Amino acid sequence: MSAKLIDGKVISEFFRVEYKLRVDRLIERGVRPGLAVVIVGNDPASQVYVRNKARACESVGMHSEVHALAATTSQDELVAFIEKLNANPAIHGILVQLPLPKGLDDRAVIEAIHPDKDVDGFHYANMGALVIDESRYPPCTPFGVMKMLEYENVRVEGKHVVIVGRSNIVGKPQAMLMLKAGGTVTVCHSKTDNLPRFTRDADILVAAVGRPCMITGSMIKPGAVVIDVGINRLPDGKLVGDVDFESAKKVASAITPVPGGVGPMTITMLLGNTLHAAELKAGLVESARDTMLA
Ligand code: GUN
């Protein structure tokens, strides 16, 4: 058996076509959705991510601005900068690229972003809303995973969803979204004893641990849907996920590749959240996002 490929680029394009129409509708009303991306320091990988985010905004007609601040920026300076963006009516979404350089407090910086503009969904207020099913801004990567499953008509309700990884950015919010969709959720992580015991029982397996190729075909239940959130660069420069694609595709019924799987969806959901922020501001929508699977 060879698994069906879940193509994040194709699914992203599907959503971006709809977003473009919604951006046009806002522009007709005199509102152009705007995203400000803040990057501190010169991490090359972060610079690539930030550039891709800005480019994606432009592809759907949104305004974007990238603010590159020196690695020597102090906590107070960064917070003051964010407060200016909070007050800027042309900016509907603010994203501070993580991780921040040493000496800056990621959590305090995230809390400085106004929750209405927190399109990453990382602010306490938005994380809390996610837990009680009222999220306006579901974090982009786990939300992108839900949208991929929805697009592929993968039913979550009643299924055993096993998530490997417990980060604040992916694992934990992914668990909340899967619960909301009616899944029975197990969250595993680096300390889990006998990991294959859990992964082999998963109908839907989400790998988000940041360890290259650690989930192999023998750890997957035949016919499972496998979502690989990992992006790991090997010493030879090759990009691989957390799943060993070659062995996994022989066992799974469907699988996301790396690159070209979850990655493009993360950026697309960022556009969706920014658009939603602008629509909220313009009074076009109510507050909660539709995070349920159909
Ligand atoms: N760094 C890696 N992933 C992310 C993300 O989703 N948002 C932000 N702000 N930084 C990141």
Side-chain angles (χ1 to χ4, degrees):
M1 188 168 82
S2 192
K4 175 184 196 292
L5 202 68
I6 304 178
D7 188 331
K9 285 185 278 185
V10 168
I11 304 172
S12 280
E13 195 44 44
F14 171 83
F15 283 101
R16 288 186 195 193
V17 168
E18 184 215 315
Y19 292 168
K20 176 99 183 55
L21 295 173
R22 284 165 55 193
V23 169
D24 290 345
R25 185 175 61 148
L26 276 167
I27 289 174
E28 276 168 22
R29 291 171 179 245
V31 178
R32 184 166 185 180
L35 174 70
V37 181
V38 180
I39 176 169
V40 187
N42 345 304
D43 177 60
S46 290
Q47 284 171 336
V48 172
Y49 293 141
V50 162
R51 224 177 299 130
N52 288 343
K53 286 168 185 172
R55 217 175 280 149
C57 281
E58 282 142 30
S59 77
V60 295
M62 290 173 28
H63 165 70
S64 78
E65 47 191 58
V66 175
H67 299 278
L69 308 184
T72 51
T73 304
S74 72
Q75 181 84 16
D76 287 350
E77 285 166 338
L78 182 52
V79 168
F81 193 83
I82 290 168
E83 279 165 1
K84 272 202 286 180
L85 294 172
N86 283 339
N88 180 346
I91 294 302
H92 301 91
I94 302 168
L95 178 146
V96 178
Q97 185 66 26
L98 302 174
L100 290 167
K102 274 204 183 74
L104 293 173
D105 177 352
D106 287 15
R107 186 33 62 187
V109 168
I110 290 166
E111 294 314 310
I113 300 171
H114 193 289
D116 290 351
K117 296 194 177 187
D118 168 40
V119 285
D120 258 329
F122 294 164
H123 191 285
Y124 288 141
N126 289 319
M127 280 285 177
L130 182 68
V131 175
I132 56 168
D133 285 356
E134 289 176 5
S135 182
R136 291 173 299 176
Y137 304 123
C140 301
T141 299
F143 192 33
V145 170
M146 302 312 289
K147 290 294 172 190
M148 287 179 115
L149 296 175
E150 185 179 332
Y151 182 92
E152 295 290 340
N153 290 315
V154 174
R155 196 178 155 83
V156 175
E157 192 174 270
K159 296 292 190 295
H160 187 196
V161 180
V162 177
I163 299 163
V164 189
R166 57 174 159 173
S167 69
N168 291 331
I169 290 182
V170 185
K172 288 182 209 165
Q174 188 76 75
M176 292 303 128
L177 291 172
M178 289 292 188
L179 273 178
K180 188 177 180 189
T184 300
V185 180
T186 302
V187 182
C188 302
H189 47 80
S190 56
K191 303 273 192 301
T192 299
D193 282 340
N194 196 357
L195 180 64
R197 172 163 71 100
F198 296 100
T199 59
R200 275 191 206 120
D201 192 56
D203 302 308
I204 300 170
L205 180 61
V206 181
V209 263
R211 292 203 197 159
C213 303
M214 77 163 287
I215 308 283
T216 56
S218 66
M219 297 167 71
I220 296 169
K221 177 158 99 174
V225 173
V226 177
I227 306 289
D228 191 352
V229 177
I231 303 179
N232 309 287
R233 196 170 289 281
L234 298 180
D236 66 4
K238 195 175 167 220
L239 273 187
V240 297
D242 292 348
V243 175
D244 176 45
F245 187 81
E246 287 309 313
S247 63
K249 76 174 186 199
K250 297 185 184 129
V251 187
S253 62
I255 187 168
T256 61
V258 177
V262 175
M265 290 301 290
T266 296
I267 297 186
T268 300
M269 295 303 110
L270 173 67
L271 303 183
N273 279 351
T274 305
L275 181 53
H276 186 71
E279 288 174 338
L280 274 173
K281 188 90 188 303
L284 285 177
V285 289
E286 300 289 320
S287 71
R289 284 305 292 280
D290 175 16
T291 56
M292 280 297 275
L293 292 181

